[in-house]
Amino acid sequence: ALPVPPMSIRFDQSAGTLSPEGPTLTRRMSDLEGLFRDHAAWQKAVADGDPVVYSVISSPVPEIDRELPQSITTIQPGTTAGELWMTKGHQHPNHQGEIYLGISGRGGLLMFDGTETRWVEMTPGTIGYMPPGWAHRSVNIGDEPYSFLAVYPGGAGHDYGWVLEHGMGLRALSGTDGVEFVDYVEG
Ligand code: PAN
Ligand code: ZN
């Protein structure tokens, strides 16, 4: 990855693009294996068109030490057996902090340090702070796409196996009065 000069980066919300742009990523249901509590419902959703659950567009700032890469994640609204659509979730192996800024839609930021779980509701303008050592997952709790900006240390790294192994403490389900939380393991 090459260093980049000082610059401004433009987010075009209706086009869903950043310019200049870096890598983009699309996560379909099939990319979320082992994350939803209802495996059969997950399998059915994969067979049933394998919908896009979220996408991540990045600026060209490289993921290397001392840089501050940014990306915008957009999670589609939806549920799988009642569980709200979400990102895979990860831990930064080097335990570095991160901030999110809510851009549009309604979401939640689920954080887990291996013992305690915290939930921060995210609306446009909310800054969500993840201290070092807190694994994080984002959830769309509304009925429109939920988008947020992430800014993170370039050397932080992304450990997805940590969440597969330890879970996130709680799961966010769609309840009659909004979000309902259930124990991660028992669901
Ligand atoms: C975010 C996330 C992004 C996608 O940019 O990477 O929302 O979530 P997953 O990486 O869990 O699939 C971030 O937290 N970066 O560190
Ligand atoms: Zn992160």
Side-chain angles (χ1 to χ4, degrees):
L2 295 170
V4 289
M7 65 173 132
S8 88
I9 300 149
R10 179 85 204 146
F11 174 46
D12 181 335
Q13 186 156 8
S14 54
T17 55
L18 283 175
S19 57
E21 68 174 4
T24 71
L25 190 76
T26 300
R27 295 274 193 225
R28 293 183 176 274
M29 190 57 85
S30 52
D31 296 311
L32 275 66
E33 181 164 17
L35 298 175
F36 288 98
R37 64 175 179 161
D38 188 331
H39 184 77
W42 169 80
Q43 266 180 325
K44 187 169 179 300
V46 171
D48 245 4
D50 195 15
V52 171
V53 179
Y54 62 99
S55 58
V56 185
I57 58 175
S58 302
S59 84
V61 175
E63 289 194 344
I64 54 177
D65 229 16
R66 297 187 296 144
E67 294 278 3
L68 280 177
Q70 322 92 36
S71 63
I72 292 173
T73 301
T74 300
I75 310 176
Q76 297 305 313
T79 55
T80 296
E83 192 167 0
L84 289 157
W85 282 8
M86 59 192 177
T87 59
K88 293 173 73 163
H90 58 265
Q91 176 71 281
H92 294 292
N94 301 327
H95 285 192
Q96 299 184 49
E98 179 165 7
I99 58 162
Y100 288 174
L101 171 65
I103 294 174
S104 61
R106 291 179 56 227
L109 172 51
L110 190 66
M111 292 177 268
F112 182 52
D113 70 353
T115 307
E116 278 183 70
T117 301
R118 294 290 167 81
W119 173 258
V120 168
E121 195 155 321
M122 297 286 296
T123 53
T126 306
I127 296 172
Y129 179 59
M130 288 140 278
W134 288 76
H136 38 281
R137 162 177 287 165
S138 297
V139 180
N140 188 338
I141 66 171
D143 46 25
E144 54 177 318
Y146 161 53
S147 293
F148 63 91
L149 169 75
V151 183
Y152 55 98
H158 292 82
D159 182 357
Y160 294 94
W162 193 95
V163 168
L164 284 169
E165 190 179 333
H166 299 96
M168 288 296 300
L170 295 174
R171 292 178 181 280
L173 310 187
S174 171
T176 41
D177 287 331
V179 188
E180 261 168 33
F181 296 97
V182 294
D183 184 84
Y184 203 88
V185 180
E186 290 164 25

